[in-house]
């Protein structure tokens, strides 16, 4: 049976778009959370086993897209979220720098600045101003100071006390305890927690 060349052209034209779709589907995709939400953990057989809280601004790899939802890779788990909770784009090709640093985006979850035993001060908004919204291409260093919290600045001064005894008058200086910054953040889909004392460097990621 001889096949007409015209028939081969028509057949190729029909399958070419499908091949292109398959090629596009093979491209790695990522999804950015447009709002904080909870996703359903999906087992291998499609059964839901629990929920995972997801932070606005976090970016995760896309496992697959389904009708009405997107399955994300979150900490080694497959998590299903609604389409309107994420923005799906093609994953940029990021390669490690010569020093081994892998570029990524820092998504701040929380930041507390306080002395142990005191009420935690929320400094998330102040710290967020110091973190670029674009991809980091090298480690970011931030000096932890009382500039993060106006309420903490009064603690930065040494306090002198006068002690009067029967035989002498003494003056001693009491240096207040240092504040500690506790930060929780997401970087390239992984969650981290760091604690840095006042006066030292917070290094991200």
């Amino acid at each position: 049976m001889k096949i007409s060349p015209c028939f081969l052209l028509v057949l190729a034209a029909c399958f070419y778009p499908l091949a292109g779709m398959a090629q596009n589907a093979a491209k790695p995709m990522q999804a950015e959370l447009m709002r904080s939400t909870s996703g359903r953990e999906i087992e291998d057989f499609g059964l839901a086993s629990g929920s995972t809280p997801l932070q606005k601004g976090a970016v995760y790899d896309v496992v697959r897209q389904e009708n009405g939802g997107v399955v994300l890779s979150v900490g080694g788990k497959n998590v299903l979220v609604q389409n309107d909770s994420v923005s799906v784009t093609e994953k940029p090709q990021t390669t490690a720098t010569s020093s081994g640093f892998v570029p990524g985006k820092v998504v701040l979850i929380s930041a507390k600045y306080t002395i142990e035993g005191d009420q935690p001060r929320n400094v998330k908004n102040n710290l967020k101003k110091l973190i670029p919204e674009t991809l980091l291409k090298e480690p970011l260093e931030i000096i932890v100071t009382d500039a993060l919290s106006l309420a903490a600045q009064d603690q930065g001064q040494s306090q002198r006390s006068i002690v009067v005894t029967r035989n002498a008058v003494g003056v001693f200086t009491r240096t207040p305890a240092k504040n500690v910054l506790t930060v929780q953040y997401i970087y390239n889909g992984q969650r981290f927690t760091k604690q840095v004392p006042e006066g030292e460097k917070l290094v991200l990621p």
Side-chain angles (χ1 to χ4, degrees):
M1 177 180 177
K2 184 179 291 186
I3 300 176
S4 167
C6 294
F7 177 79
L8 292 176
L9 290 175
V10 172
L11 189 63
C14 292
F15 280 97
Y16 180 79
L18 295 177
M21 290 175 61
Q23 184 177 4
N24 291 335
K27 291 182 179 179
M29 306 295 287
Q30 67 180 19
E32 178 177 353
L33 271 294
M34 306 307 295
R35 57 185 177 88
S36 296
T37 185
S38 292
R40 288 190 298 148
E41 297 175 12
I42 304 298
E43 299 290 349
D44 294 338
F45 298 101
L47 301 176
S49 61
S51 63
T52 298
L54 301 172
Q55 184 77 17
K56 177 182 177 181
V59 178
Y60 298 100
D61 290 342
V62 173
V63 177
R64 63 181 180 273
Q65 298 186 57
E66 301 178 349
N67 292 333
V70 180
V71 179
L72 310 177
S73 177
V74 181
K77 300 178 181 178
N78 289 346
V79 179
L80 176 66
V81 297
Q82 296 179 348
N83 281 332
D84 58 2
S85 298
V86 294
S87 174
V88 178
T89 58
E90 185 176 338
K91 184 177 180 180
Q93 298 298 319
T94 57
T95 57
T97 62
S98 57
S99 62
F101 182 81
V102 179
K105 181 181 179 182
V106 174
V107 179
L108 194 59
I109 299 175
S110 66
K112 307 292 184 181
Y113 185 67
T114 190
I115 292 176
E116 183 178 357
D118 285 1
Q119 184 69 23
R121 304 183 187 93
N122 185 356
V123 295
K124 178 180 177 180
N125 291 337
N126 289 338
L127 181 61
K128 191 174 182 179
K129 296 175 184 178
L130 306 177
I131 301 175
E133 295 183 359
T134 55
L135 290 180
L136 292 185
K137 296 183 179 179
E138 59 183 9
L140 176 66
E141 296 183 352
I142 299 174
I143 301 295
V144 177
T145 69
D146 285 349
L148 290 172
S149 171
L150 294 177
Q153 292 183 4
D154 292 339
Q155 298 175 340
Q157 303 296 326
S158 298
Q159 299 177 0
R160 291 188 174 185
S161 300
I162 299 177
V163 178
V164 180
T165 65
R166 180 176 297 179
N167 299 322
V169 176
V171 178
F172 71 93
T173 300
R174 179 170 60 88
T175 302
K178 289 185 177 182
N179 287 280
V180 175
L181 175 66
T182 303
V183 182
Q184 292 185 350
Y185 62 95
I186 296 173
Y187 188 80
N188 286 341
Q190 296 187 24
R191 186 165 180 152
F192 300 90
T193 299
K194 287 188 176 180
Q195 286 190 319
V196 182
E198 176 185 346
E200 299 187 16
K201 291 181 181 178
L202 168 66
V203 181
L204 300 174

